[in-house]
Amino acid sequence: MLEIAVLGLLNESPMHGYELRKRLSGLLGTFRAFSYGSLYPTLRKLSEAGWIYDESPTEDTAASGRSRRGKRVYRLTADGKEHLAELLAEVGPDAFEEEGFGARLAFFAQTRSDIRLRILEGRRRRVEEQRDGMTSALTRTGQRVDRYTRELHQHGLEAVDREVRWLDELIEHERSDAPPRDR
C-alpha cells in the first residue's frame, strides 16, 4: 500500500522526503495511521529496485560560512512508472481491504476504468460481507447486551450501510462514464 502511494505521488511530481511525508500523511491519514518510520525504508527499497532515484543533495555554503545540506529530491524512473502501472492493474484481495482500497482509490485517476470497476465491486462485496456479519452478531447478542453496546453496534452497521450506498453510486457512475469497450 505504501509502495503504491509513494510511486503514485512521485508520478505526479518529484519531491523531497519531508514533502512526501506530508503528502502521504494527508493522503493516507484518512484511511489509516501512517508511520513515518516506514517511509525511508520504503524509499530505500524502491531505489534499490530501480523504480525511483534521488538527486543527491549538494552542499551549500551559507553567508556564515557553515555548510548546509540540500534536500534529496526523489523522482520516478521509467521502470518505476511501469511498475506503478502494474501495481495499479493488480486486482487482488488486498485491493478490497480498508488500507489497500484507500491507497487504490487515491490513484483512481491513474487507473484504467475496467480495473476501477473491479476494485469498487470487490470492495462492495467485502463491505457487504462485513454488514452481514455485523447483522448476524447483532441478532445473536440481542437482549444480552446493554442499550449502549447495542447502539454502538447499530452505529457501526449504519456506517457500513452508508459505505455500501456510496460504493453503489461510484460503481454506477463508473459504468455510465465507461466507453463501450471498457464496460
Side-chain angles (χ1 to χ4, degrees), residues 16 24 34 38 41 45-46 55-57 62 67 80 93 99 104 127 129 135 137 141 146 165 167 176 181:
H16 55 82
L24 283 168
F34 167 63
S38 58
K45 175 186 155 202
L46 296 175
E55 293 176 348
S56 297
S67 179
E99 292 179 7
R104 297 302 194 93
V127 173
E129 290 168 3
T135 302
T141 57
D146 63 72
R165 286 192 305 274
L167 288 164
S176 66
R181 61 182 168 76

Side-chain angles (χ1 to χ4, degrees), residues 57-121:
T58 58
E59 297 277 333
D60 290 339
T61 305
S64 66
R66 283 192 248 149
S67 179
R68 225 180 60 168
R69 189 170 159 222
K71 295 178 180 173
R72 289 181 182 207
V73 176
Y74 296 93
R75 297 181 182 279
L76 202 57
T77 64
D79 287 344
K81 288 180 187 227
E82 287 179 28
H83 183 64
L84 175 61
E86 290 168 5
L87 289 174
L88 292 174
E90 289 176 5
V91 182
D94 64 314
F96 312 141
E97 298 299 330
E98 192 78 28
E99 292 179 7
F101 177 72
R104 297 302 194 93
L105 185 65
F107 298 103
F108 260 22
Q110 300 178 38
T111 307
R112 290 188 346 235
S113 177
D114 60 320
I115 301 296
R116 290 191 305 254
L117 189 57
R118 288 175 51 203
I119 291 170
L120 290 169
E121 289 171 339

Side-chain angles (χ1 to χ4, degrees), residues 23-34:
R23 294 279 313 275
L24 283 168
S25 184
L27 176 72
L28 301 177
T30 58
F31 302 111
R32 68 177 282 270
F34 167 63

Side-chain angles (χ1 to χ4, degrees), residues 143-176:
Q143 299 300 322
R144 292 182 292 172
V145 295
D146 63 72
R147 183 182 99 188
Y148 301 104
T149 303
R150 201 170 30 260
E151 287 296 324
L152 181 62
H153 287 256
Q154 189 61 41
H155 176 70
L157 189 56
E158 289 169 5
V160 170
D161 283 336
R162 274 192 309 278
E163 185 172 354
V164 169
R165 286 192 305 274
W166 174 69
L167 288 164
D168 285 339
E169 290 172 13
L170 289 174
I171 289 168
E172 183 56 38
H173 183 71
E174 195 64 43
R175 286 181 178 152
S176 66

